[in-house]
């Protein structure tokens, strides 16, 4: 699927070492769950439609996303999502009011720290524990549009039925950064428009992967942000592997965003030649023309990275209105194209 480095793959642990490692992972998961539960009082429900008993639930933390949220909701409605459970982190651009008017959306508000909540993960874990147990839960950001083989003709209910039949409780996706041709700020984009119409380009072949030495997930890096912003420090480039779709249990916990979870077995989502793993792609629509404005805000807020100072050059570069396109860029043509390129896999999904 990707150029693969076996670094981090170790042989079988001795019995005592394996037991100690498993014990540490259990305690880490319990600490994460306790941490999330303590933050439940930071959330205030302001609007809530009736949550259906069946179907896929979407969970997301959002702030100031009026430019893209209408299309985002439409995209997931077309995929058959039953209900959206959203934490609004102090939006002031109308996002809160818009979401509150949607009959299939429940909205919780908070003005507390996004960073202190593990970038929203603690808040969403509270909601997943209460509303998602035993359900297929899709955790995505407002700039992420999930696609998978045949996603234009088969919805998430069909996909999760397949996962149920094959005994899988989680589903993986590559985050694929989409961008325009020309300087980012010169793109013309209207509220509610499909972002892919103006961000149709991506990097197709500069990805690398290795096994994470602790959590066992396939750790993928590369793409346009690696090429343009982190070429001198590739080890700091964004992590692109995600496990956004999980049949949730109250004992589950995301560790870092949706990049990895506990228990570790849930991270086994990509095909290593078994031929049975279906996976998807999250079309990442970060680079809309308001990216400079958002970058200025995030530099001031310092809420998006553990060490924001390390990412100051990245934000400054976005503020300078770069052109990410090259002659090697690939134009998006649909899911068949991504599957043929090996960026997603069909597995036994037939």
């Amino acid at each position: 699927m990707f150029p693969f480095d076996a670094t981090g793959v170790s042989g079988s642990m001795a019995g005592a070492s394996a037991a100690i490692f498993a014990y540490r992972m259990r305690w880490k998961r319990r600490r994460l769950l306790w941490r999330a539960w303590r933050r439940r009082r930071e959330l205030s429900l302001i609007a809530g439609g009736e949550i259906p008993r069946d179907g896929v639930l979407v969970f997301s933390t959002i702030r100031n996303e009026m430019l893209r949220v209408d299309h985002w909701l439409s995209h997931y409605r077309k995929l058959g999502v039953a209900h959206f459970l959203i934490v609004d982190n102090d939006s002031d651009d109308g996002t809160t009011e818009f979401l509150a008017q949607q009959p299939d959306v429940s909205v919780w508000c908070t003005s507390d720290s996004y960073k202190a909540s593990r970038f929203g993960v603690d808040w969403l874990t509270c909601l997943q524990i209460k509303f998602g147990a035993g359900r297929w839960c899709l955790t995505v950001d407002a700039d992420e549009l999930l696609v998978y083989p045949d996603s234009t003709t088969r919805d998430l209910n069909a996909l999760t039925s397949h996962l149920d039949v094959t005994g899988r409780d989680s589903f993986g996706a590559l985050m694929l950064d989409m961008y325009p041709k020309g300087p980012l700020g010169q793109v013309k984009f209207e509220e509610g428009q499909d972002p892919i119409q103006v961000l149709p380009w991506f990097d197709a072949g500069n990805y690398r992967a290795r096994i994470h030495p602790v959590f066992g997930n396939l750790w993928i890096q590369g793409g346009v942000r690696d090429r343009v912003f982190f070429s001198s420090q590739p080890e700091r480039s964004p992590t692109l592997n995600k496990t956004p779709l999980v049949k949730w249990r109250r004992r589950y916990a995301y560790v870092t965003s949706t990049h990895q979870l506990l228990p570790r077995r849930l991270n086994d989502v990509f095909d290593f030649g078994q031929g049975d793993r279906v996976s998807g792609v999250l079309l990442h629509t970060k680079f809309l023309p308001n990216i400079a404005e958002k970058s200025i805000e995030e530099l001031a807020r310092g809420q998006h990275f553990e060490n924001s100072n390390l990412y100051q050059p990245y934000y400054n570069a976005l503020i300078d209105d770069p052109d990410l396109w090259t002659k090697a860029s690939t134009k998006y043509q649909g899911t068949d194209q991504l599957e043929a390129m090996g960026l997603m896999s069909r597995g036994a999904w037939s």
Side-chain angles (χ1 to χ4, degrees), residues 18 57 66 78 134 148 208 230 259 275 301 321:
L57 302 177
M66 273 305 295
K78 289 177 182 177
Y148 49 85
R208 59 190 181 280
F230 295 93
H259 299 303
R301 294 178 73 232
D321 199 19

Side-chain angles (χ1 to χ4, degrees), residues 65-85:
E65 291 292 0
M66 273 305 295
L67 198 61
R68 54 164 63 87
V69 71
D70 191 11
H71 179 268
W72 181 80
L73 290 170
S74 176
H75 176 84
Y76 286 108
R77 285 167 177 155
K78 289 177 182 177
L79 289 182
V81 165
H83 200 80
F84 299 82
L85 296 90

Side-chain angles (χ1 to χ4, degrees), residues 147-150 176 178 196 200-204 281 283 328-346:
V147 296
Y148 49 85
D150 300 335
L176 189 66
M178 310 299 294
I196 304 305
W201 301 91
F202 64 95
D203 281 22
V281 162
L283 302 176
S329 297
T330 300
K331 193 169 187 178
Y332 179 62
Q333 302 292 337
T335 57
D336 288 347
Q337 173 199 39
L338 299 182
E339 186 180 352
M341 290 179 169
L343 299 178
M344 64 166 64
S345 60
R346 179 175 297 271

Side-chain angles (χ1 to χ4, degrees), residues 86-106:
I86 295 177
V87 175
D88 184 280
N89 188 202
D90 213 19
S91 292
D92 57 13
D93 70 341
T95 298
T96 313
E97 294 77 10
F98 175 81
L99 290 171
Q101 294 171 0
Q102 308 303 309
D104 56 353
V105 177
S106 295

Side-chain angles (χ1 to χ4, degrees), residues 67-68 71 188-198:
L67 198 61
R68 54 164 63 87
H71 179 268
K188 302 299 181 183
F189 183 79
E190 296 182 1
E191 186 177 298
Q193 186 179 356
D194 180 355
I196 304 305
Q197 292 178 353
V198 297

Side-chain angles (χ1 to χ4, degrees), residues 15-34 214-215 250-253 255 261-264:
S17 297
I20 291 170
F21 179 76
Y23 174 80
R24 288 175 174 171
M25 290 295 100
R26 284 196 300 272
W27 270 104
K28 182 175 183 65
R29 175 161 45 93
R30 289 169 185 168
R31 287 194 300 271
L32 292 173
L33 290 171
W34 173 241
V214 176
F215 298 105
R250 288 188 174 90
R251 69 180 187 275
Y252 291 176
V255 180
L261 336 80
L262 290 171
R264 292 171 77 247

